[in-house]
Amino acid sequence: MDDLPPEPTPDNEFYDGNIPSITQSDQIASRQRSQNARALQEEEYDTNHRRRGMAIILNHENFELMSKREGTNRDRDAATAVLTSMQFDVRVYNDLGRDELFCVLLALASEDHSDCDCLLVMLMTHGDDDVLYAYDGPYSVDKLWESFMGNACTTLLGKPKLFFVQACRGSTFDKGVKLGCRDLDSDHFSSHKYVIPTTADLLVMYSSYKGHVSWRSPRGGSWFIQALCVELETNWKHMELLQLLTGVSRRVAYDYQSNMPSKGRMDAMKQMPSIVSMLTKLVYFPLKLCS
């Protein structure tokens, strides 16, 4: 007789070799899997709430010990206009210190978002590898969404939380590479229904790839925020979010290149935005008739 395959075992060095019997916890886990399966059938996030949601713009132009970010107010104003047209409730904060910034985020997380579809936070500042700068000093980039993870903000459970970060992520320049001949012309999910990872439903889009600089024009604003605003303005009513953001990446990658011939190592440089998505469904922004 053929040998039977071995019983599957937990990948755990403390497993003692005994196969556990069916218990009440197993039955609960079985029901859990059934509920999760039903949730998988819902391909889009719920957009039937009364409000689109809050959009927070954290704009940093002036710093205590760092250079002025000229052009950022153009980004702020463009973002305010397009997010307002998208029916977000927009709040703008300028040049906050670290404690002030953390207070704003904590207060936002403590608000009731039950009648909102989602949350959006947009930040424009100086940065480095995993570090962002407030007016008076640095902080970890994770601080931006820390207050909205897991049960930290229960009224946003199961809803998309979208973060857009315009900041350098290091000092590396992207020289680019030639690509042949191309013309570059219910109100919320309750915790007892089913369990989801604490990091679920989060999206972070960075203006550049890890370790690389992010470009900004003193007159025209940053490449990333300007491209994001153009794509949102053009496509938000009919295009799924990740498809739209791919358009942002394409626009930055192909339409922009630094022009600084007097500074050789900074001339003809490129930039590539980076998306980290933990979304579990499709994100749409249908027009709300009564907002």
Side-chain angles (χ1 to χ4, degrees):
M1 185 175 66
D2 293 337
D3 291 336
L4 294 175
E7 290 286 343
T9 59
D11 190 11
N12 188 320
E13 63 178 313
F14 300 111
Y15 179 57
D16 62 7
N18 294 318
I19 300 175
S21 59
I22 297 176
T23 63
Q24 184 180 11
S25 63
D26 296 317
Q27 295 170 345
I28 294 173
S30 178
R31 289 197 297 271
Q32 175 73 61
R33 287 191 291 272
S34 297
Q35 291 167 340
N36 287 349
R38 287 196 295 273
L40 280 173
Q41 297 174 4
E42 303 170 6
E43 295 184 355
E44 301 177 12
Y45 284 104
D46 182 10
T47 56
N48 292 315
H49 302 94
R50 185 176 64 85
R51 299 162 55 208
R52 179 82 66 211
M54 296 301 309
I56 304 301
I57 299 176
L58 303 168
N59 177 55
H60 293 272
E61 180 184 26
N62 302 292
F63 299 83
E64 192 172 50
L65 299 173
M66 304 181 76
S67 61
K68 185 176 182 178
R69 295 184 64 254
E70 296 182 5
T72 190
N73 290 340
R74 185 179 179 91
D75 288 343
R76 175 200 62 196
D77 296 344
T80 299
V82 72
L83 292 174
T84 299
S85 73
M86 292 176 67
Q87 302 176 294
F88 279 98
D89 300 317
V90 182
R91 297 177 188 169
V92 178
Y93 299 90
N94 294 296
D95 298 341
L96 295 181
R98 280 178 299 186
D99 291 345
E100 294 173 310
L101 189 148
F102 298 155
C103 283
V104 165
L105 295 174
L106 284 170
L108 181 63
S110 68
E111 293 183 25
D112 187 355
H113 302 269
S114 297
D115 63 348
C116 298
D117 293 342
C118 62
L119 170 75
L120 188 149
V121 176
M122 190 177 295
L123 175 78
M124 309 154 190
T125 189
H126 285 308
D128 207 333
D129 189 9
D130 294 328
V131 169
L132 298 171
Y133 287 88
Y135 171 78
D136 53 358
Y139 60 94
S140 169
V141 64
D142 294 344
K143 283 286 187 180
L144 273 185
W145 46 84
E146 187 177 82
S147 301
F148 306 95
M149 304 291 282
N151 286 327
C153 181
T154 57
T155 56
L156 281 173
L157 277 172
K159 299 178 181 181
K161 294 162 277 285
L162 314 172
F163 292 80
F164 298 92
V165 181
Q166 164 58 43
C168 287
R169 302 182 70 192
S171 56
T172 301
F173 292 107
D174 189 340
K175 297 179 180 180
V177 60
K178 291 184 179 179
L179 188 63
C181 296
R182 183 181 179 89
D183 186 10
L184 297 182
D185 281 350
S186 80
D187 295 326
H188 62 88
F189 290 108
S190 300
S191 58
H192 67 270
K193 286 188 176 180
Y194 55 86
V195 177
I196 58 175
T198 58
T199 52
D201 308 309
L202 176 72
L203 178 140
V204 183
M205 188 171 189
Y206 298 95
S207 57
S208 62
Y209 183 68
K210 185 176 177 65
H212 287 68
V213 301
S214 187
W215 292 89
R216 167 181 42 84
S217 165
R219 293 187 298 274
S222 66
W223 298 358
F224 172 63
I225 296 296
Q226 292 300 315
L228 176 61
C229 289
V230 169
E231 288 292 330
L232 286 173
E233 183 177 12
T234 305
N235 296 311
W236 71 267
K237 292 180 182 178
H238 63 273
M239 190 175 286
E240 199 279 324
L241 179 63
L242 282 174
Q243 184 183 8
L244 186 153
L245 296 183
T246 299
V248 175
S249 294
R250 181 171 59 250
R251 186 179 292 271
V252 174
Y254 287 108
D255 290 358
Y256 289 91
Q257 180 171 293
S258 66
N259 182 21
M260 305 179 72
S262 62
K263 297 183 179 180
R265 76 184 192 94
M266 300 175 68
D267 189 40
M269 295 293 115
K270 305 294 291 183
Q271 180 175 319
M272 189 68 242
S274 176
I275 301 171
V276 179
S277 175
M278 289 158 277
L279 299 177
T280 58
K281 302 177 185 180
L282 303 177
V283 179
Y284 286 97
F285 302 103
L287 188 66
K288 292 186 178 296
L289 300 181
C290 298
S291 179

